[in-house]
C-alpha cells in the first residue's frame, strides 16, 4: 500500500529544509524575539527529534513540549537548548529535571519546593565545577497548574 492521495489516506511529507527556512524567516521577522517552538506530540507527527535538532541548528532558543517523557526523549537525543515541559511533573522527578536542565511547569507547593531545592543543588555543583549554570528561573513556571 502506498502513501499517496490515490489510496484515500492522509499523509504528510516533512522537508526539514523547509522547516529550517520557515524558522529562519520567523527569526528574521521577529527582530530579536526568542523562538521557542512547540514540538509536543512528536512535533505534531513530524518527528520530534529530527525537527527539534533541525530547529536547534536554525537558531531556536529552546523548545516546549507537553510531557516529561517528551522532554526527556529530546534531551537524550542530544538537544542542548532549553526544553520546557508544560505539564506538571511528579515532585520526585524534580531533582532529575534539574540535573538534566529541563524546565518544568509547577502546579503545587511540594513540586515548587523540590524543584527549587534541586535547582539550587545543581547550581552549587555547576559553580564548583566551573560550568556556566543555566538560568533555571526563566524555565520554572510557578503556579500555572498545567496538566492538573
Amino acid at each position: 500500500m502506498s502513501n499517496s492521495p490515490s489510496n484515500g489516506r492522509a499523509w504528510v511529507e516533512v522537508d526539514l529544509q523547509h522547516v529550517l527556512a520557515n524558522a529562519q524567516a520567523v527569526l528574521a521577522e521577529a527582530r530579536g524575539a526568542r523562538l521557542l517552538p512547540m514540538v509536543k506530540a512528536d512535533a505534531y507527527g513530524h518527528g520530534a527529534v529530527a525537527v527539534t535538532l533541525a530547529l536547534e541548528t536554525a537558531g531556536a532558543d529552546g523548545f516546549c513540549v507537553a510531557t516529561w517523557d517528551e522532554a526527556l526523549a529530546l534531551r537524550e537525543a542530544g538537544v542542548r537548548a532549553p526544553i520546557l515541559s508544560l505539564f506538571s511533573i511528579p515532585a520526585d522527578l524534580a531533582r532529575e529535571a534539574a540535573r538534566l536542565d529541563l524546565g518544568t511547569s509547577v502546579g503545587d507547593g511540594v513540586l515548587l519546593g523540590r524543584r527549587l531545592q534541586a535547582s539550587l543543588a545543581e547550581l552549587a555543583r555547576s559553580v564548583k565545577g566551573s560550568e556556566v549554570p543555566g538560568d533555571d528561573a526563566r524555565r520554572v513556571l510557578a503556579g500555572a497548574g498545567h496538566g492538573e
Side-chain angles (χ1 to χ4, degrees):
M1 172 163 48
S2 119
N3 284 337
S4 70
S6 63
N7 70 9
R9 296 183 56 114
W11 89 100
V12 64
E13 290 181 26
V14 177
D15 183 331
L16 289 179
Q17 293 306 311
H18 286 117
V19 171
L20 292 172
N22 290 342
Q24 290 164 345
V26 168
L27 287 167
E29 287 295 317
R31 295 187 178 95
R34 292 172 36 135
L35 178 62
L36 301 164
M38 173 61 80
V39 292
K40 69 177 188 150
D42 197 31
Y44 297 94
H46 301 315
V49 171
V51 168
T52 303
L53 290 171
L55 288 170
E56 188 172 39
T57 65
D61 297 289
F63 301 93
C64 296
V65 295
T67 67
W68 164 259
D69 291 340
E70 292 172 333
L72 188 59
L74 292 179
R75 187 62 82 224
E76 288 175 347
V79 175
R80 296 176 53 101
I83 301 169
L84 173 62
S85 174
L86 297 177
F87 287 178
S88 191
I89 63 171
D92 61 344
L93 291 176
R95 185 172 304 280
E96 183 72 356
R99 186 184 71 75
L100 295 171
D101 195 24
L102 295 173
T104 58
S105 176
V106 178
D108 67 64
V110 173
L111 177 56
L112 177 59
R114 288 189 183 170
R115 179 60 205 237
L116 291 175
Q117 284 178 331
S119 295
L120 289 173
E122 283 301 310
L123 178 63
R125 274 192 282 284
S126 68
V127 169
K128 287 179 186 174
S130 300
E131 297 173 14
V132 178
D135 182 6
D136 196 57
R138 74 173 183 240
R139 291 186 299 275
V140 175
L141 180 58
H146 295 286
E148 297 180 338

